[in-house]
């Protein structure tokens, strides 16, 4: 981000948040008021909670990078001193000092979040990303990485980028764009970086988890490519308000953004249906402010992007977390496969050795209210007629934000994104095979609930006949190909035209490729489920399409894909 824009954004952010919070302490009725000391006390409480959850800096640094540890330790001590000062003064502070303390907290949060952008670093990254990714795809170990720079796998073959490219590029010319991708893996950011270059799109700024900045090299590029810091452990409402305001102000300044509406990676393996639209909803506020100041290009567009993987790097960790009894999900995972370089290299090199693809499908743009837009950026009603979306936020002779009204618009946008994710998912052989095997397991044990089936199996049935698996895959193919013909989803070329035997073989080959325990293996004319959690994870990517109808089984997940469904026998 340009220095002048950064200063302008931080100044406007500070003024806006202070105005809103102070006004909140002077609500019309006592029940509407939230005293400043309570706002600050809550911030102190959440900071203490965040510190108890944070890993020790020592786990990120080796003896060879001791200077990084010292830097992290100095930052930790400065942070503790700041919050110690706020906590010690809070019990004695009058109204004026409380306002001063609030200003200091907002200022600290703002600079903690703030990103940067350096055009020179971006130009360098454009040159480095393709060969570096190619090396990753071609190297079988970290030691061989440098040997593969320049001779890596063809990214054009490995990452299949598709969708209305000209439409998306045109939206960048007439307004500000927010990319809203699905989130399956920490590799998503790398894949999206390459896909954006392939599409000829300008740079995006985006929120990156604080942990990623601990790596000095990655942190340097993140900062200078416009990434801003998101501390997922900080649940302070004031911090979240600063974060949303920062995102909104960057949009007002014309910086294209990338948000993951699902928040964290999908633990269940299913497509996101419960979206966290706080940041994406910032588009409405930015649009209103653009109209108020008569910006030359006031419009904002949200472009859904669906990523479809044959295998998911962190599948084992993610599904284990989903099935954990404590709240189904820890939300923050810091010790998964992505944190182990050898696992990343092994995954990528083996995956693309089989001519696999990661599909990145760009959808058509939406306005902040969930309406589709044409190539000129004009909003369209359900009958395809152009509409003036500024009237959605009109009030009197001007324009204004109204939280309740805007929340409804954000829900409409969320529904449109969910529909796009389902429509643009590319079905691959692993998902097809997992769905067939898991369905047969459920049919063989109709009285066993899902959790028991996944954890300990279904009783006497320990393997499945190859013929019955072929029959189940054949039934699924008929339904999936009909759905694809009606535009409800997409199929990989192999799933589109391949025969049942080839697809089962390909799915088995991929499952035996990377995971420590294959989801399912073949022994003669029998298939043996070995990791039922992985089967559950991969088959869930086909949840939500009504595939249960042909088997008479209920869904495995709740309608919002957040939790395991109830007992399957009911």
């Amino acid at each position: 981000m340009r220095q002048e824009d950064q200063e302008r954004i931080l100044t406007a952010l500070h003024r806006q948040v202070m105005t809103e919070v102070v006004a909140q302490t002077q609500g019309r009725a006592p029940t509407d008021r939230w005293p400043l000391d309570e706002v600050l006390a809550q911030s102190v409480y959440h900071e203490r909670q965040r510190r108890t959850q944070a890993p020790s800096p020592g786990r990120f640094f080796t003896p060879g990078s001791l200077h990084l540890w010292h830097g992290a330790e100095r930052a930790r001590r400065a942070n503790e001193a700041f919050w110690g000062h706020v906590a010690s003064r809070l019990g004695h502070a009058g109204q004026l000092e409380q306002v001063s303390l609030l200003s200091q907290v907002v200022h600290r949060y703002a600079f903690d979040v703030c990103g940067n952008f350096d055009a020179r670093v971006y130009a360098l990254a454009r040159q480095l990303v393709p060969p570096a990714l190619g090396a990753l795809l071609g190297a079988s170990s970290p030691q061989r990485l440098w040997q593969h720079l320049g001779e890596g796998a063809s990214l054009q073959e490995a990452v299949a980028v598709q969708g209305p490219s000209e439409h998306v590029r045109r939206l960048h010319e007439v307004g500000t764009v927010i990319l809203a991708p699905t989130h399956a893996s920490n590799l998503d950011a790398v894949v999206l970086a390459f896909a954006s270059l392939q599409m000829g799109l300008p740079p995006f700024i985006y929120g990156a988890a604080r942990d990623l900045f601990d790596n000095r090299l990655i942190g340097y590029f993140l900062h200078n490519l416009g990434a801003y810091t998101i501390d997922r452990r900080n649940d302070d409402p004031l911090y979240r308000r600063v974060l949303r305001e920062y995102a909104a102000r960057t949009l007002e300044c014309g910086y294209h953004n990338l948000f993951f509406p699902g928040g964290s990676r999908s633990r269940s393996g299913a497509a996101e249906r419960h979206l966290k639209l706080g940041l994406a909803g910032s588009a409405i506020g930015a649009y209103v402010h653009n109209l108020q100041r008569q910006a030359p290009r006031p419009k904002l567009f949200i472009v859904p992007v669906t990523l479809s993987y044959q295998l998911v790097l962190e599948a084992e960790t993610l599904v284990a977390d989903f099935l954990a009894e404590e709240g189904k999900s820890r939300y923050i995972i810091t010790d998964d496969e992505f944190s182990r370089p050898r696992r990343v290299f092994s995954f990528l090199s083996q995956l693309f050795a089989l001519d696999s693809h990661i599909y990145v499908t760009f959808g058509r743009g939406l306005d902040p209210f969930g309406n589709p837009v044409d190539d000129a950026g004009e909003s369209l009603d359900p009958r395809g007629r152009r509409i003036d979306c500024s009237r959605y936020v009109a009030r009197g002779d001007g324009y204004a934000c109204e939280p309740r009204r805007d929340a409804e618009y954000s829900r409409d946008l969320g529904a449109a994104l969910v529909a796009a994710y389902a429509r643009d998912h590319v079905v691959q052989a692993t998902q097809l095979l997992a769905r067939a095997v898991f369905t047969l397991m459920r049919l063989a044990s109709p009285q066993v609930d899902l959790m028991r089936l996944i954890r300990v199996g279904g009783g006497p049935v320990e393997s499945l006949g190859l013929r019955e698996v072929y029959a189940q895959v054949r039934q699924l193919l008929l339904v999936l190909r009909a759905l694809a013909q009606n535009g409800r989803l997409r199929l990989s070329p192999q799933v589109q035209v391949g025969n049942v035997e080839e697809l089962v073989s390909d799915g088995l080959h991929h499952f035996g490729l990377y995971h420590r325990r294959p989801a399912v293996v073949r022994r003669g004319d029998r298939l043996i489920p070995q990791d039922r959690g992985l089967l559950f994870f991969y088959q869930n990517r086909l949840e939500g399409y009504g595939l249960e109808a042909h088997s008479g089984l209920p869904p495995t997940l709740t309608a919002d894909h957040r939790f395991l469904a109830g007992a399957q026998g009911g």
Side-chain angles (χ1 to χ4, degrees), residues 131 133-139 147-155:
L133 283 178
L136 280 172
L137 300 182
Q147 301 173 21
H148 287 260
L149 282 171
E151 58 176 87
S154 170
L155 289 178

Side-chain angles (χ1 to χ4, degrees), residues 121-137 149 153 155 189-198 221 225:
V121 177
Y122 179 72
L124 175 63
R126 285 183 66 94
Q127 297 176 6
L128 290 181
V129 165
L133 283 178
L136 280 172
L137 300 182
L149 282 171
L155 289 178
V190 179
V191 172
L192 286 164
F194 173 73
S196 297
L197 290 175
Q198 285 293 97
F221 278 97
L225 293 176

Side-chain angles (χ1 to χ4, degrees), residues 94 156 186 294 336 343 399 410 456 500 526 552:
Q156 287 78 2
N186 276 329
Q294 298 182 337
D336 62 13
R343 292 296 299 274
Y399 306 96
S410 291
V456 299
V500 171
R526 309 290 293 179

Side-chain angles (χ1 to χ4, degrees), residues 262-303:
S264 63
R265 293 163 292 174
S266 172
R267 267 43 175 183
S268 68
E272 295 93 333
R273 282 197 168 185
H274 179 77
L275 305 184
K276 298 178 179 180
L277 290 166
L279 289 178
S282 301
I284 296 177
Y287 179 55
V288 169
H289 292 154
N290 283 348
L291 292 173
Q292 290 172 339
R293 63 189 180 89
Q294 298 182 337
R297 297 195 311 166
K299 292 186 176 181
L300 293 100
F301 310 106
I302 295 85
V303 175

Side-chain angles (χ1 to χ4, degrees), residues 176 178 280-288 298-302 366-371 373 379 389 392-393 406 408-414:
T176 304
I178 299 171
S282 301
I284 296 177
Y287 179 55
V288 169
K299 292 186 176 181
L300 293 100
F301 310 106
I302 295 85
L366 304 162
D367 67 22
F369 315 101
N371 300 307
V373 298
S379 299
C389 63
Y392 284 46
V393 293
D406 297 346
E408 286 294 326
Y409 291 148
S410 291
R411 280 190 280 273
D412 291 340
L413 171 62

Side-chain angles (χ1 to χ4, degrees), residues 109-377:
Y109 277 161
F111 272 89
D112 189 48
V113 169
C114 185
N116 190 22
F117 178 76
D118 189 314
R120 294 168 298 178
V121 177
Y122 179 72
L124 175 63
R126 285 183 66 94
Q127 297 176 6
L128 290 181
V129 165
L133 283 178
L136 280 172
L137 300 182
S140 58
S141 69
Q143 289 80 5
R144 294 185 62 194
L145 173 61
W146 297 109
Q147 301 173 21
H148 287 260
L149 282 171
E151 58 176 87
S154 170
L155 289 178
Q156 287 78 2
E157 296 177 4
V159 180
V161 183
Q162 56 191 13
S165 55
E166 187 57 39
H167 167 77
V168 176
R169 284 193 291 268
R170 178 60 181 149
L171 295 182
H172 282 79
E173 297 171 2
V174 298
T176 304
V177 171
I178 299 171
L179 287 187
T182 57
H183 200 5
S185 166
N186 276 329
L187 285 173
D188 294 347
V190 179
V191 172
L192 286 164
F194 173 73
S196 297
L197 290 175
Q198 285 293 97
M199 291 277 283
L201 302 179
F204 289 84
I205 68 170
Y206 54 95
R210 175 183 293 278
D211 295 343
L212 295 177
F213 289 87
D214 289 322
N215 181 295
R216 194 174 189 182
L217 177 62
I218 294 174
Y220 172 78
F221 278 97
L222 286 176
H223 274 301
N224 288 283
L225 293 176
Y228 55 89
T229 308
I230 296 179
D231 190 341
R232 294 178 295 176
R233 295 183 181 86
N234 194 336
D235 291 326
D236 182 11
L238 182 60
Y239 173 78
R240 298 293 171 179
R241 182 177 295 199
V242 169
L243 191 61
R244 287 194 298 270
E245 189 65 25
Y246 181 81
R249 294 294 175 175
T250 62
L251 291 170
E252 290 174 36
C253 286
Y255 287 95
H256 306 296
N257 271 251
L258 185 153
F259 298 145
F260 287 106
S264 63
R265 293 163 292 174
S266 172
R267 267 43 175 183
S268 68
E272 295 93 333
R273 282 197 168 185
H274 179 77
L275 305 184
K276 298 178 179 180
L277 290 166
L279 289 178
S282 301
I284 296 177
Y287 179 55
V288 169
H289 292 154
N290 283 348
L291 292 173
Q292 290 172 339
R293 63 189 180 89
Q294 298 182 337
R297 297 195 311 166
K299 292 186 176 181
L300 293 100
F301 310 106
I302 295 85
V303 175
V305 186
T306 306
L307 291 95
S308 307
Y309 290 85
Q310 180 89 300
L311 293 175
V312 175
L313 170 67
E314 309 99 322
E316 292 159 295
T317 300
L318 293 173
V319 72
D321 193 54
F322 177 80
L323 296 170
E325 291 184 0
E326 292 187 5
K328 304 296 182 188
S329 171
R330 287 175 288 160
Y331 184 66
I332 301 169
I333 299 175
T334 59
D335 54 351
D336 62 13
E337 290 85 346
F338 189 78
S339 66
R340 305 163 202 164
R342 288 183 180 275
R343 292 296 299 274
V344 178
F345 279 97
S346 174
F347 173 80
L348 290 172
S349 60
Q350 293 184 58
L351 183 65
F352 292 105
L354 283 185
D355 192 29
S356 291
H357 289 83
I358 296 173
Y359 290 91
V360 183
T361 307
F362 287 78
R364 293 189 65 83
L366 304 162
D367 67 22
F369 315 101
N371 300 307
V373 298
D374 61 19
D375 290 349

Side-chain angles (χ1 to χ4, degrees), residues 26-70:
Q26 303 167 351
R28 299 179 205 172
T31 54
D32 296 331
R33 295 174 189 165
W34 193 7
L36 267 183
D37 59 343
E38 291 187 15
V39 175
L40 291 166
Q42 189 172 54
S43 294
V44 171
Y45 167 78
H46 282 291
E47 171 58 23
R48 287 173 178 165
Q49 292 295 107
R50 187 194 67 80
R51 286 208 302 265
T52 62
Q53 298 171 10
S56 168
R59 66 179 290 181
F60 292 108
F61 303 112
T62 64
S65 58
L66 195 59
H67 60 290
L68 295 180
W69 185 89
H70 284 305

